Amino acid sequence: FAWSPPAPPAALALRRVDPAHNMARFYRLDVQPDLFGRWSLVREWGRIGRSGQVRRDPYPTPAEARSALDKLRQSKERRGYC
């Protein structure tokens, strides 16, 4: 087993606010190591001012987790998050 330095942190916070539709949402994405040597893409979403839902998706490498983060970011930006 060869040790490698951790990847730089990858975190992103997005918001979507539309007062006309009473919409105030957030979406957070973060790449984090887990306790087993793998990497997780952590997603948290919900209404601004409330606690959100959390989902963790495991990936074998930080590069794969970062790639998934970038794809989700693009998807959310197409839906109006910024």
Side-chain angles (χ1 to χ4, degrees), residues 34-55:
D34 67 12
L35 297 174
F36 306 105
R38 296 185 305 180
W39 291 82
S40 294
L41 172 59
V42 180
R43 300 191 248 177
E44 183 180 2
W45 67 92
R47 185 166 178 84
I48 294 173
R50 305 276 183 180
S51 60
Q53 297 183 29
V54 177
R55 177 177 172 173

Side-chain angles (χ1 to χ4, degrees), residues 7-34:
L12 183 65
L14 301 169
R15 295 173 21 141
R16 185 175 177 190
V17 178
D18 184 357
H21 292 99
N22 194 26
M23 181 187 306
R25 299 179 185 166
F26 71 91
Y27 204 92
R28 289 189 195 104
L29 300 166
D30 194 8
V31 174
Q32 301 175 350
D34 67 12

Side-chain angles (χ1 to χ4, degrees), residues 7-13 29-33 39-42 57-74 77:
L12 183 65
L29 300 166
D30 194 8
V31 174
Q32 301 175 350
W39 291 82
S40 294
L41 172 59
V42 180
D57 297 320
Y59 291 90
T61 66
E64 290 179 66
R66 180 63 195 221
S67 176
L69 181 146
D70 290 337
K71 287 179 185 175
L72 278 168
R73 178 187 52 80
Q74 291 173 356
E77 286 176 345

